[in-house]
Amino acid sequence: MCGVLGIYDNEEVIARIYDAMLTIQHRGQDSAGILTYDGKYHIKKGNGLVQDIFDQRNIYRLRGHVGIGHTRYPTVGEGSVEDAQPFWVNYPFGIAAAHNGNVTNFLELKKDLFEKSHKIINSNCDVEVILNIFAEYLERFTNKEFSPEIVFNAVKYVYKRVKGSYSVVIHIANKGMLGFRDPYGLRPLLFGSKEEMVNSFAFASESVALDVMGFKNYEDVGPGSAVFIDKNRQVHRKKIINKPFRPCIFEYIYFARPDSFLNGINVDKARVELGKSLAKKIRRRNLDIDIVVPVPDSSRTAAIQIARDLKLKYREGLVKNRYIGRTFIMPGDIERKKSIRHKLNPIRHVFAGKKVLLVDDSIVRGNTSRSIIQMVRDAGAEKIYFASYSAPLANPCVYGIDMQTSGEFIARDSTPDQIAAKIGADVVIYQELDEMEKDVRKQNKHIHSFCKACFTGIYPTGDVSSEILRTIEKERDDYKNKITETDEINE
Ligand code: 5GP
Ligand code: SF4
Ligand code: MG
C-alpha cells in the first residue's frame, strides 16, 4: 500500500504538497518522494518518514507549479531508496509518474521491456514499468498533434499489458497531468478541483490530502477511467475499459484514515456500521463483559459503537506510543515481534480484576493479538474476549497490502475457538463476511461488490493463478529471510 498525490496549479506547489504528504504518511512509512516541474524536473526521495526526508534545503530546490508526491510501503522489493517513487523518463516529452498498487506481472513486463523494447528497468518498482509502457505508446506520437485521445489510448495500452492493481498519477511535461485507476478500481484515487481558482487541480489516494490542500470539490476517478488536465487546464474524463468495480474493502477496515472519503464512503461511518453489526453478534453470545477496550488506533470507532450498543463501559486501556510506526510495515517477523511490545503499554488499573472485551480491526498472524492478550492478562484481567470487526483473513493480498504468505494466516486452518486457544483469549468473535460487506456498502449502493480476496481467496481480476501466488509468496519469503538474516547479524 502506498499514498500518491499530484497537483497541477498556477503557483508554487511545494508547501501544499508537503502538508498533503503528511496526511498520507499512514499509507507508507518506508520511503517518500516529491517531484516538481518548472521547465525541468526536480526530485527528492529518501528512506523513512516525510519529516525526516525533506528539509529546508531540498524543499527550496523543489520549485514549480506541478508536483507529484508519494509515500511508500514495500510489498515486493528491497525497500531501497532506488525503489522510491516518483520516477521519470526524459523521452518522449518528459514523463513523471507515481502509483499505488501492485503489478502482478511485473517480472514478465520488465523482461519484455528489456528484450523487446531494449529498455532497462532499473528498480524493483512497479511504476517504472507502468511509466515505460505508457511512454512507449506516446513515442509513436511525437510528430503528431498532441491530444487527450492519444493520452487515453496510452492508458488503454497500459490496461492491455499491466495486470494487478494500480492508481497512477502521471505528468507529461508541457502537455498536462493525468490520473487513472486500474480496470477494477482496486486502489482508491480522487480528483479535486478548485472553484475559486479555476486553474487548480489535484489527485490523491485519500480525500484528506485534498482537504488539506484546500480542494473542496472532489470526485473519485472511476474504475478503468482516466482524468486528463491539458496544458490549457481543460479537464477531459474518459471511461476507457468496462470491468466490474471492485474497490478494496480493507481500506475501510484498516488502512484509510477515518476522516477520508473513498468511493463515496466515509471510513469512520463504515467503521460505525461494522461496530453495530458486530455488537449484535456479541450480544447473542451472552458474555459477561465489564468493559470494552479498543486496540488503538483503527478500532476505536467500532469499539465505541459496540460499547454503546451493548450498554457497556468503554475504556482506553492500551496506550500507544505514537512515535513508533505501524509494526506490520517493518519487514521481517523478528522486528515485528520486538516492536509490538514497545509500541503498546497497558493502563493496569483499567484491566485489574475485569472481564474485558478487546476490539481490533483484524487478526492476521495472531502475533499482535497474542502479545496484547498476554499484556492485558499480566495487568490483571480476569477474562479476555477478543473481537475482530473484520471477518477471518486467510489469503494473501496480491494487490498491494502487505504480502503475507498463506501459511502465515492464523485463521487459515483454525476455527475461532482454536484461534482463541492459540492467542490465549477466552473467546474470539469475528465479524461475518456478508455483514462486513453490507456495512461498508451502506453508503454507496452503486458498488455491487468489493474486492475481498484476502477473506475469500477469490481474486476479482481473475488472473491470479496459483503459480502467480507461489511466485509472489516466494519473493516475499526470500525478502523476509534476507531481512531476518541481516537482523540476526546486526543483533
Ligand atoms: P497480527 O495478527 O498479524 O499479529 O496483527 C494484526 C494487527 O495488525 C491488527 O491489529 C491489525 O490492525 C494490524 N494489521 C492490519 N492490517 C494489516 C496488514 O495488512 N498486515 C499486517 N501484518 N497487519 C495488519
Ligand atoms: Fe484489499 Fe484484501 Fe483485496 Fe487486497 S485482497 S485489495 S487487502 S480486499
Ligand atoms: Mg490494529
Side-chain angles (χ1 to χ4, degrees), residues 122-140:
N122 208 39
S123 72
N124 288 311
C125 181
D126 294 349
V127 84
E128 203 188 350
V129 156
I130 298 175
L131 173 61
N132 274 277
I133 288 173
F134 183 83
E136 187 168 288
Y137 187 87
L138 288 192
E139 277 169 26
R140 307 176 200 165

Side-chain angles (χ1 to χ4, degrees), residues 32 45 78 121 143 161 195 232 237 248 301 315-317 344 383 389 414 453 466 470:
K45 315 195 233 190
E78 303 287 309
I121 297 300
N143 296 324
R161 296 188 61 184
E195 252 170 23
N232 301 318
R237 294 175 175 81
C248 165
T301 316
R315 291 298 310 262
E316 290 281 342
L344 284 176
K383 280 213 182 291
Y389 70 77
S414 308
S466 42
R470 264 198 307 275

Side-chain angles (χ1 to χ4, degrees), residues 186-187 248-250 396-401 451-455 459:
L186 284 152
R187 303 260 67 91
C248 165
I249 200 162
F250 211 63
C397 171
V398 298
Y399 303 127
I401 292 208
C451 173
K452 32 187 195 311
C454 45
F455 300 98
Y459 296 88

